[in-house]
Amino acid sequence: MGFWNLAIRIIFLSQTTTGILGNFSLIFYYLLLYYKKYTLKHTDWILVHLMAANALIILSAGVPQTVALWGFKHFLNDVGCKLLLYFQGFSRSVSLGTTCLLSVFQALTISLRNSCWKDYKIKVEKSVGCHISLLWILYMLVNSIHFAYTLVNRKSNNVTRKWDFGYCCTVGLSEIGGSLYAALVVCPEVFFSVFMVWSSGSMVLILYKHKQRVQYIHSSCRTSPESRATQNILILVSTFLTFYTLSSILRGYIALLYNQNWWLKNINDFISLCFPSFVPIILIYHYSILSKLCLVWIRNKNYSISF
């Protein structure tokens, strides 16, 4: 068991470190890009908020879990534990909503001009910032209601089990608390997931029709920037849905078990952190962000040398 404990520790430490460095590097890159150009594309702004939500997930879930695996267990009291779970749920919901917004926005962007969505496309472009702000505010309120309920009822006799997260322990939810969680958190997450599947399917269909329409043009062998951006977002959304679905299935199965399984818990924690940790690598690779960042650094260096 000693070898597997060491392996799990190294895996979580590597995953957490990669996630923190990747997400904050991308946030810095987009802020630097905004400083240079004084403007960002709508998709870039959405990605900035996605990176911020993912960074919050890693800081609230990955870091405490890694610290606990390296021997510092139960360093939070009940209030601190529930506060940390609040940030985990809040950031997870924002990440889901932001990914859904990114998928829907790109589907509207590449929609045909004569489609029924052309009017909505212009409206969404003008209100992207409003939609993102609404996501953050809405989920802060939703998760704060759930946090306040669990905090008030932490000594209730209706709880049936105690959850051990490694870094803290807390009692489970009562029937009312479970219903409140399902209504405020689970149902909107299912809605967003269905919306992402629909928008992703629409993008695939649009790209397929476009390819069939221009396949006779010799120059069409080169993929347009818009098509490449759509393909990158499809990869991003499909990655999110894959890890989100696996994590949700495991979470549901673990919730049904009376005794917590050490392996299942660690596998679920690892899968839950896969998207926020590895999505910066996907973006850096598919958007060639690293080469652009190096180019900006070289230009700045040459500019400073010239003076």
Side-chain angles (χ1 to χ4, degrees), residues 13 15 21 58 100 113 119 145 180 189 205 221 232 307:
L13 180 61
Q15 187 185 41
L21 292 177
I58 297 170
C100 179
R113 293 181 179 180
D119 295 331
I145 293 173
L180 184 66
E189 287 186 355
L205 184 61
C221 59
N232 294 336
F307 281 90

Side-chain angles (χ1 to χ4, degrees), residues 78-79 82 149-159 171-172:
D78 185 64
V79 176
K82 285 182 168 57
Y149 175 83
T150 54
L151 192 62
V152 170
N153 292 272
R154 64 182 184 274
K155 296 182 179 180
S156 174
N157 295 323
N158 295 327
V159 295
V171 293

Side-chain angles (χ1 to χ4, degrees), residues 168-187:
C168 66
C169 292
T170 185
V171 293
L173 293 173
S174 62
E175 292 184 1
I176 299 176
S179 302
L180 184 66
Y181 178 80
L184 296 178
V185 179
V186 177
C187 290

Side-chain angles (χ1 to χ4, degrees), residues 72-118:
F72 299 94
K73 294 184 177 291
H74 306 113
F75 53 86
L76 291 174
N77 58 16
D78 185 64
V79 176
C81 187
K82 285 182 168 57
L83 185 62
L84 199 64
L85 293 177
Y86 162 77
F87 281 108
Q88 292 177 16
F90 158 64
S91 54
R92 182 174 181 268
S93 298
V94 173
S95 178
L96 172 63
T98 309
T99 307
C100 179
L101 178 62
L102 180 66
S103 178
V104 172
F105 178 79
Q106 189 63 24
L108 293 175
T109 299
I110 66 172
S111 61
L112 300 178
R113 293 181 179 180
N114 57 353
S115 67
C116 59
W117 300 105
K118 61 180 181 180

